[in-house]
Amino acid sequence: MEDFMVIGILKEIMEGEKRVAATPQTVKKMIADGYKVLVETGAGEGSFYNDDEYKAVGATITDTESIYHESEVILKVKEPLFNNILNIHEVDLLHSGQIIISFLHPASPDNHEMIKKLTAKGVTGLTLDGVPRISRAQSMDALSSMSSCAGYKGMLLAANAIAKFMPMITSAVGVVKPANVLVVGAGVAGLRGIATAKGLGAVVYAADIRPDANEQAKSLGAKIIDTGVPADIAVSQDGKYANKLPEEWLKVERESLKDIIAQADIVFLTALVFGKKAPILVDEEMVKLMQPGSCIADISIDQGGNCSITQPGVISQKHGVNIIGYKNIPGMLPASSTDMFSNNIYNLLKYLTVDGKIKLDLSDEIVKSILVCHEGVLLHEGTLEAMSQK
């Protein structure tokens, strides 16, 4: 009887997604650890890894259906989607008892039906956006890694979407003023966005309900906008995360942001509440205040978005404002993001493995935080809360 665990690496099917969950380097580590690794034909092409490189380290190259049929653990970058080539949803290719490790973003309303189906199938879902911000989980924190990519590339996309220069320009007809950029949420993505916008010469403002995050934004040269939310309401007791705000405080925050949003050429939205649906910080009336030709980059869209009218997966135009809702911005930097992601997911896989198999210790802080569904039961608190609010 085979005693190795079979790991399946799939080719991503989200439009424009070029990342892959494992590189030849991390596959080599998996095989050295005693796993059997199946890689879908062409899975690494978008990240510049060919099938021969995976074969050279011991992987088996095979087709989509074989990977779903034979694998005990499926490693993916993005959540299961409808496969137009096979004319079937990826959830329907999974089977009971199988484990999927991916960015499932279970609290996002767009993913609720998929999560319900995943649970009903008896699949164990582990979501990478649930890895807690603790020291022993740092090497597994794919959300932080991908947030760095999204903050950098997202700001470049926003700069490209506006109708004016980012820096101050001295020209034959005088000085052209620099663009105004507002970054809402000064976490990993927000700080990278601030640094990128400053590097491009923009005037940058930042807003976060966490005082420590504002201090970091200020150190990068951003001008801080007071959200009006007291720290004892804004920050979790352990000081690690932003709290989910009651609606009355969200109204206070939106009111505090209204004037600067009206002046901004770019509004860069990255505010997340760990494990929960993203808060709505910009409503349609606020979008109407913005200048024609300006841009909203809603980097939080994977968890529902910070703008009420962002269309997931596309760039749209509403009230003369370009609204970026791309769900795979890190995939636009496939070489850097795949290298980071593949190491994060390998480190998590290794952490969860005991005697060659994944063993879930439900009392472990990391396991509790990433576990979405198991043995037919939906367990993720942020998802259950979001579903109850529909």
Side-chain angles (χ1 to χ4, degrees), residues 57-91:
V57 296
T60 300
I61 306 298
T62 187
D63 60 274
T64 311
E65 290 163 302
S66 296
I67 289 177
Y68 276 105
H69 179 69
E70 298 176 33
S71 301
E72 295 168 72
V73 180
I74 296 287
L75 303 184
K76 281 185 96 279
V77 179
K78 299 302 292 184
E79 69 270 22
L81 301 166
F82 189 83
N83 189 316
N84 290 311
I85 296 173
L86 298 177
N87 199 34
I88 188 172
H89 199 286
E90 288 183 306
V91 170

mmCIF file of all heavy atoms in Angstrom, residues 57-91:
data_model
loop_
_atom_site.group_PDB
_atom_site.id
_atom_site.type_symbol
_atom_site.label_atom_id
_atom_site.label_comp_id
_atom_site.label_asym_id
_atom_site.label_seq_id
_atom_site.Cartn_x
_atom_site.Cartn_y
_atom_site.Cartn_z
ATOM 1 N N VAL A 57 12.707 17.330 -11.516
ATOM 2 C CA VAL A 57 12.819 17.202 -10.053
ATOM 3 C C VAL A 57 11.951 16.063 -9.514
ATOM 4 O O VAL A 57 11.847 15.882 -8.301
ATOM 5 C CB VAL A 57 12.471 18.532 -9.345
ATOM 6 C CG1 VAL A 57 13.473 19.609 -9.729
ATOM 7 C CG2 VAL A 57 11.048 18.980 -9.646
ATOM 8 N N GLY A 58 11.294 15.321 -10.428
ATOM 9 C CA GLY A 58 10.566 14.127 -9.995
ATOM 10 C C GLY A 58 9.055 14.198 -10.023
ATOM 11 O O GLY A 58 8.380 13.245 -9.608
ATOM 12 N N ALA A 59 8.488 15.307 -10.517
ATOM 13 C CA ALA A 59 7.030 15.419 -10.589
ATOM 14 C C ALA A 59 6.487 14.611 -11.755
ATOM 15 O O ALA A 59 7.183 14.369 -12.747
ATOM 16 C CB ALA A 59 6.625 16.877 -10.737
ATOM 17 N N THR A 60 5.222 14.225 -11.636
ATOM 18 C CA THR A 60 4.505 13.574 -12.727
ATOM 19 C C THR A 60 3.619 14.613 -13.401
ATOM 20 O O THR A 60 2.810 15.264 -12.726
ATOM 21 C CB THR A 60 3.636 12.415 -12.203
ATOM 22 O OG1 THR A 60 4.471 11.447 -11.568
ATOM 23 C CG2 THR A 60 2.850 11.762 -13.334
ATOM 24 N N ILE A 61 3.773 14.786 -14.700
ATOM 25 C CA ILE A 61 2.953 15.727 -15.453
ATOM 26 C C ILE A 61 1.723 14.990 -15.971
ATOM 27 O O ILE A 61 1.842 13.938 -16.607
ATOM 28 C CB ILE A 61 3.738 16.344 -16.639
ATOM 29 C CG1 ILE A 61 5.045 16.970 -16.139
ATOM 30 C CG2 ILE A 61 2.868 17.368 -17.361
ATOM 31 C CD1 ILE A 61 4.882 18.111 -15.168
ATOM 32 N N THR A 62 0.544 15.520 -15.681
ATOM 33 C CA THR A 62 -0.678 14.820 -16.075
ATOM 34 C C THR A 62 -1.800 15.819 -16.347
ATOM 35 O O THR A 62 -1.589 17.035 -16.331
ATOM 36 C CB THR A 62 -1.076 13.796 -14.992
ATOM 37 O OG1 THR A 62 -2.166 13.001 -15.452
ATOM 38 C CG2 THR A 62 -1.455 14.467 -13.676
ATOM 39 N N ASP A 63 -3.012 15.298 -16.586
ATOM 40 C CA ASP A 63 -4.137 16.154 -16.952
ATOM 41 C C ASP A 63 -4.950 16.573 -15.727
ATOM 42 O O ASP A 63 -4.785 16.029 -14.625
ATOM 43 C CB ASP A 63 -5.039 15.441 -17.968
ATOM 44 C CG ASP A 63 -5.597 14.149 -17.411
ATOM 45 O OD1 ASP A 63 -4.922 13.101 -17.518
ATOM 46 O OD2 ASP A 63 -6.701 14.171 -16.825
ATOM 47 N N THR A 64 -5.868 17.502 -15.947
ATOM 48 C CA THR A 64 -6.668 18.085 -14.862
ATOM 49 C C THR A 64 -7.441 17.025 -14.084
ATOM 50 O O THR A 64 -7.367 16.951 -12.844
ATOM 51 C CB THR A 64 -7.685 19.094 -15.443
ATOM 52 O OG1 THR A 64 -7.024 19.979 -16.333
ATOM 53 C CG2 THR A 64 -8.346 19.887 -14.344
ATOM 54 N N GLU A 65 -8.197 16.206 -14.803
ATOM 55 C CA GLU A 65 -9.084 15.247 -14.132
ATOM 56 C C GLU A 65 -8.311 14.215 -13.333
ATOM 57 O O GLU A 65 -8.744 13.797 -12.252
ATOM 58 C CB GLU A 65 -9.988 14.592 -15.176
ATOM 59 C CG GLU A 65 -11.032 15.577 -15.731
ATOM 60 C CD GLU A 65 -11.660 15.094 -17.022
ATOM 61 O OE1 GLU A 65 -10.916 14.848 -17.987
ATOM 62 O OE2 GLU A 65 -12.890 14.975 -17.050
ATOM 63 N N SER A 66 -7.142 13.804 -13.828
ATOM 64 C CA SER A 66 -6.324 12.838 -13.088
ATOM 65 C C SER A 66 -5.850 13.420 -11.769
ATOM 66 O O SER A 66 -5.807 12.725 -10.747
ATOM 67 C CB SER A 66 -5.123 12.408 -13.931
ATOM 68 O OG SER A 66 -5.535 11.718 -15.089
ATOM 69 N N ILE A 67 -5.491 14.702 -11.795
ATOM 70 C CA ILE A 67 -5.038 15.339 -10.556
ATOM 71 C C ILE A 67 -6.158 15.380 -9.526
ATOM 72 O O ILE A 67 -5.966 15.037 -8.353
ATOM 73 C CB ILE A 67 -4.503 16.760 -10.857
ATOM 74 C CG1 ILE A 67 -3.169 16.657 -11.597
ATOM 75 C CG2 ILE A 67 -4.340 17.567 -9.562
ATOM 76 C CD1 ILE A 67 -2.573 17.970 -12.014
ATOM 77 N N TYR A 68 -7.347 15.765 -9.946
ATOM 78 C CA TYR A 68 -8.483 15.797 -9.009
ATOM 79 C C TYR A 68 -8.812 14.393 -8.501
ATOM 80 O O TYR A 68 -9.162 14.218 -7.331
ATOM 81 C CB TYR A 68 -9.706 16.402 -9.686
ATOM 82 C CG TYR A 68 -9.733 17.910 -9.665
ATOM 83 C CD1 TYR A 68 -9.451 18.649 -10.814
ATOM 84 C CD2 TYR A 68 -10.031 18.611 -8.502
ATOM 85 C CE1 TYR A 68 -9.472 20.041 -10.806
ATOM 86 C CE2 TYR A 68 -10.059 20.003 -8.484
ATOM 87 C CZ TYR A 68 -9.772 20.704 -9.633
ATOM 88 O OH TYR A 68 -9.783 22.083 -9.615
ATOM 89 N N HIS A 69 -8.693 13.399 -9.354
ATOM 90 C CA HIS A 69 -9.052 12.029 -8.978
ATOM 91 C C HIS A 69 -8.037 11.414 -8.019
ATOM 92 O O HIS A 69 -8.406 10.730 -7.058
ATOM 93 C CB HIS A 69 -9.175 11.167 -10.234
ATOM 94 C CG HIS A 69 -9.530 9.740 -9.943
ATOM 95 N ND1 HIS A 69 -10.775 9.355 -9.463
ATOM 96 C CD2 HIS A 69 -8.788 8.593 -10.043
ATOM 97 C CE1 HIS A 69 -10.784 8.049 -9.286
ATOM 98 N NE2 HIS A 69 -9.605 7.561 -9.629
ATOM 99 N N GLU A 70 -6.754 11.648 -8.260
ATOM 100 C CA GLU A 70 -5.701 10.935 -7.528
ATOM 101 C C GLU A 70 -5.162 11.671 -6.308
ATOM 102 O O GLU A 70 -4.601 11.049 -5.407
ATOM 103 C CB GLU A 70 -4.536 10.633 -8.477
ATOM 104 C CG GLU A 70 -4.902 9.718 -9.643
ATOM 105 C CD GLU A 70 -3.733 9.531 -10.606
ATOM 106 O OE1 GLU A 70 -2.571 9.532 -10.131
ATOM 107 O OE2 GLU A 70 -3.978 9.408 -11.818
ATOM 108 N N SER A 71 -5.300 12.983 -6.262
ATOM 109 C CA SER A 71 -4.638 13.761 -5.206
ATOM 110 C C SER A 71 -5.392 13.724 -3.890
ATOM 111 O O SER A 71 -6.620 13.807 -3.856
ATOM 112 C CB SER A 71 -4.473 15.220 -5.646
ATOM 113 O OG SER A 71 -3.717 15.314 -6.824
ATOM 114 N N GLU A 72 -4.645 13.637 -2.809
ATOM 115 C CA GLU A 72 -5.224 13.786 -1.474
ATOM 116 C C GLU A 72 -5.297 15.262 -1.081
ATOM 117 O O GLU A 72 -6.200 15.670 -0.357
ATOM 118 C CB GLU A 72 -4.378 13.033 -0.452
ATOM 119 C CG GLU A 72 -4.359 11.526 -0.651
ATOM 120 C CD GLU A 72 -3.280 10.888 0.195
ATOM 121 O OE1 GLU A 72 -3.443 10.835 1.431
ATOM 122 O OE2 GLU A 72 -2.273 10.444 -0.380
ATOM 123 N N VAL A 73 -4.324 16.025 -1.586
ATOM 124 C CA VAL A 73 -4.253 17.452 -1.277
ATOM 125 C C VAL A 73 -4.096 18.224 -2.586
ATOM 126 O O VAL A 73 -3.234 17.905 -3.403
ATOM 127 C CB VAL A 73 -3.057 17.779 -0.355
ATOM 128 C CG1 VAL A 73 -3.012 19.272 -0.043
ATOM 129 C CG2 VAL A 73 -3.122 16.964 0.926
ATOM 130 N N ILE A 74 -4.958 19.214 -2.777
ATOM 131 C CA ILE A 74 -4.889 20.092 -3.945
ATOM 132 C C ILE A 74 -4.327 21.439 -3.500
ATOM 133 O O ILE A 74 -4.833 22.048 -2.556
ATOM 134 C CB ILE A 74 -6.289 20.312 -4.565
ATOM 135 C CG1 ILE A 74 -6.875 18.991 -5.104
ATOM 136 C CG2 ILE A 74 -6.237 21.383 -5.649
ATOM 137 C CD1 ILE A 74 -6.240 18.488 -6.371
ATOM 138 N N LEU A 75 -3.288 21.888 -4.187
ATOM 139 C CA LEU A 75 -2.725 23.207 -3.916
ATOM 140 C C LEU A 75 -3.096 24.137 -5.068
ATOM 141 O O LEU A 75 -2.831 23.828 -6.232
ATOM 142 C CB LEU A 75 -1.201 23.146 -3.786
ATOM 143 C CG LEU A 75 -0.628 22.205 -2.719
ATOM 144 C CD1 LEU A 75 0.891 22.339 -2.666
ATOM 145 C CD2 LEU A 75 -1.226 22.479 -1.345
ATOM 146 N N LYS A 76 -3.733 25.263 -4.746
ATOM 147 C CA LYS A 76 -4.143 26.238 -5.749
ATOM 148 C C LYS A 76 -3.791 27.642 -5.266
ATOM 149 O O LYS A 76 -3.574 27.858 -4.080
ATOM 150 C CB LYS A 76 -5.665 26.187 -5.993
ATOM 151 C CG LYS A 76 -6.150 25.068 -6.889
ATOM 152 C CD LYS A 76 -7.653 25.208 -7.148
ATOM 153 C CE LYS A 76 -7.939 25.920 -8.451
ATOM 154 N NZ LYS A 76 -7.843 27.381 -8.393
ATOM 155 N N VAL A 77 -3.801 28.563 -6.216
ATOM 156 C CA VAL A 77 -3.614 29.973 -5.874
ATOM 157 C C VAL A 77 -4.970 30.609 -5.582
ATOM 158 O O VAL A 77 -5.182 31.199 -4.522
ATOM 159 C CB VAL A 77 -2.900 30.740 -7.003
ATOM 160 C CG1 VAL A 77 -2.743 32.211 -6.625
ATOM 161 C CG2 VAL A 77 -1.537 30.118 -7.299
ATOM 162 N N LYS A 78 -5.889 30.504 -6.520
ATOM 163 C CA LYS A 78 -7.199 31.144 -6.411
ATOM 164 C C LYS A 78 -8.294 30.131 -6.080
ATOM 165 O O LYS A 78 -8.137 28.925 -6.238
ATOM 166 C CB LYS A 78 -7.545 31.874 -7.701
ATOM 167 C CG LYS A 78 -6.573 32.978 -8.077
ATOM 168 C CD LYS A 78 -6.439 34.054 -7.007
ATOM 169 C CE LYS A 78 -7.703 34.885 -6.853
ATOM 170 N NZ LYS A 78 -7.515 35.985 -5.867
ATOM 171 N N GLU A 79 -9.431 30.657 -5.639
ATOM 172 C CA GLU A 79 -10.570 29.835 -5.247
ATOM 173 C C GLU A 79 -11.117 29.020 -6.426
ATOM 174 O O GLU A 79 -10.926 29.401 -7.585
ATOM 175 C CB GLU A 79 -11.683 30.719 -4.669
ATOM 176 C CG GLU A 79 -12.365 31.632 -5.669
ATOM 177 C CD GLU A 79 -11.734 32.996 -5.815
ATOM 178 O OE1 GLU A 79 -10.539 33.137 -5.484
ATOM 179 O OE2 GLU A 79 -12.418 33.920 -6.293
ATOM 180 N N PRO A 80 -11.792 27.894 -6.168
ATOM 181 C CA PRO A 80 -12.393 27.107 -7.250
ATOM 182 C C PRO A 80 -13.386 27.928 -8.070
ATOM 183 O O PRO A 80 -14.200 28.671 -7.525
ATOM 184 C CB PRO A 80 -13.102 25.973 -6.500
ATOM 185 C CG PRO A 80 -12.358 25.842 -5.219
ATOM 186 C CD PRO A 80 -11.951 27.244 -4.858
ATOM 187 N N LEU A 81 -13.290 27.776 -9.377
ATOM 188 C CA LEU A 81 -14.121 28.510 -10.327
ATOM 189 C C LEU A 81 -14.714 27.543 -11.346
ATOM 190 O O LEU A 81 -14.360 26.365 -11.379
ATOM 191 C CB LEU A 81 -13.282 29.567 -11.052
ATOM 192 C CG LEU A 81 -12.586 30.628 -10.193
ATOM 193 C CD1 LEU A 81 -11.538 31.367 -11.006
ATOM 194 C CD2 LEU A 81 -13.605 31.594 -9.615
ATOM 195 N N PHE A 82 -15.589 28.066 -12.203
ATOM 196 C CA PHE A 82 -16.144 27.234 -13.276
ATOM 197 C C PHE A 82 -15.092 27.061 -14.362
ATOM 198 O O PHE A 82 -14.521 28.041 -14.849
ATOM 199 C CB PHE A 82 -17.408 27.865 -13.868
ATOM 200 C CG PHE A 82 -18.133 26.948 -14.824
ATOM 201 C CD1 PHE A 82 -19.009 25.999 -14.341
ATOM 202 C CD2 PHE A 82 -17.902 27.030 -16.192
ATOM 203 C CE1 PHE A 82 -19.672 25.144 -15.207
ATOM 204 C CE2 PHE A 82 -18.556 26.181 -17.073
ATOM 205 C CZ PHE A 82 -19.452 25.233 -16.569
ATOM 206 N N ASN A 83 -14.816 25.804 -14.710
ATOM 207 C CA ASN A 83 -13.834 25.485 -15.743
ATOM 208 C C ASN A 83 -14.535 25.434 -17.097
ATOM 209 O O ASN A 83 -15.272 24.482 -17.391
ATOM 210 C CB ASN A 83 -13.150 24.151 -15.430
ATOM 211 C CG ASN A 83 -11.967 23.877 -16.335
ATOM 212 O OD1 ASN A 83 -12.039 24.079 -17.551
ATOM 213 N ND2 ASN A 83 -10.876 23.394 -15.757
ATOM 214 N N ASN A 84 -14.329 26.464 -17.905
ATOM 215 C CA ASN A 84 -15.016 26.546 -19.202
ATOM 216 C C ASN A 84 -14.541 25.495 -20.192
ATOM 217 O O ASN A 84 -15.293 25.088 -21.089
ATOM 218 C CB ASN A 84 -14.822 27.944 -19.801
ATOM 219 C CG ASN A 84 -15.581 29.006 -19.021
ATOM 220 O OD1 ASN A 84 -16.765 28.853 -18.730
ATOM 221 N ND2 ASN A 84 -14.898 30.081 -18.643
ATOM 222 N N ILE A 85 -13.313 25.034 -20.059
ATOM 223 C CA ILE A 85 -12.789 24.013 -20.976
ATOM 224 C C ILE A 85 -13.453 22.666 -20.714
ATOM 225 O O ILE A 85 -13.882 21.962 -21.636
ATOM 226 C CB ILE A 85 -11.260 23.904 -20.844
ATOM 227 C CG1 ILE A 85 -10.605 25.218 -21.291
ATOM 228 C CG2 ILE A 85 -10.722 22.738 -21.677
ATOM 229 C CD1 ILE A 85 -9.106 25.274 -21.045
ATOM 230 N N LEU A 86 -13.561 22.303 -19.444
ATOM 231 C CA LEU A 86 -14.187 21.021 -19.082
ATOM 232 C C LEU A 86 -15.695 21.146 -18.875
ATOM 233 O O LEU A 86 -16.387 20.144 -18.682
ATOM 234 C CB LEU A 86 -13.544 20.469 -17.805
ATOM 235 C CG LEU A 86 -12.046 20.145 -17.874
ATOM 236 C CD1 LEU A 86 -11.546 19.672 -16.517
ATOM 237 C CD2 LEU A 86 -11.765 19.099 -18.947
ATOM 238 N N ASN A 87 -16.194 22.404 -18.883
ATOM 239 C CA ASN A 87 -17.621 22.678 -18.682
ATOM 240 C C ASN A 87 -18.129 22.125 -17.349
ATOM 241 O O ASN A 87 -19.205 21.521 -17.265
ATOM 242 C CB ASN A 87 -18.458 22.102 -19.847
ATOM 243 C CG ASN A 87 -19.834 22.751 -19.915
ATOM 244 O OD1 ASN A 87 -19.998 23.930 -19.617
ATOM 245 N ND2 ASN A 87 -20.832 21.975 -20.299
ATOM 246 N N ILE A 88 -17.347 22.375 -16.302
ATOM 247 C CA ILE A 88 -17.715 21.905 -14.960
ATOM 248 C C ILE A 88 -17.041 22.819 -13.936
ATOM 249 O O ILE A 88 -15.961 23.360 -14.182
ATOM 250 C CB ILE A 88 -17.273 20.421 -14.761
ATOM 251 C CG1 ILE A 88 -17.835 19.866 -13.444
ATOM 252 C CG2 ILE A 88 -15.755 20.284 -14.812
ATOM 253 C CD1 ILE A 88 -17.614 18.361 -13.283
ATOM 254 N N HIS A 89 -17.698 22.995 -12.802
ATOM 255 C CA HIS A 89 -17.096 23.797 -11.735
ATOM 256 C C HIS A 89 -16.007 22.981 -11.047
ATOM 257 O O HIS A 89 -16.142 21.767 -10.871
ATOM 258 C CB HIS A 89 -18.163 24.209 -10.714
ATOM 259 C CG HIS A 89 -17.762 25.376 -9.858
ATOM 260 N ND1 HIS A 89 -16.836 25.283 -8.842
ATOM 261 C CD2 HIS A 89 -18.147 26.689 -9.885
ATOM 262 C CE1 HIS A 89 -16.677 26.462 -8.269
ATOM 263 N NE2 HIS A 89 -17.452 27.341 -8.892
ATOM 264 N N GLU A 90 -14.940 23.656 -10.635
ATOM 265 C CA GLU A 90 -13.843 22.947 -9.979
ATOM 266 C C GLU A 90 -14.288 22.249 -8.691
ATOM 267 O O GLU A 90 -13.743 21.196 -8.331
ATOM 268 C CB GLU A 90 -12.695 23.921 -9.691
ATOM 269 C CG GLU A 90 -11.941 24.345 -10.937
ATOM 270 C CD GLU A 90 -10.752 25.249 -10.640
ATOM 271 O OE1 GLU A 90 -10.950 26.283 -9.958
ATOM 272 O OE2 GLU A 90 -9.643 24.935 -11.100
ATOM 273 N N VAL A 91 -15.260 22.796 -7.996
ATOM 274 C CA VAL A 91 -15.763 22.124 -6.782
ATOM 275 C C VAL A 91 -16.324 20.753 -7.128
ATOM 276 O O VAL A 91 -16.160 19.788 -6.368
ATOM 277 C CB VAL A 91 -16.829 22.984 -6.077
ATOM 278 C CG1 VAL A 91 -17.524 22.190 -4.982
ATOM 279 C CG2 VAL A 91 -16.196 24.237 -5.473
#
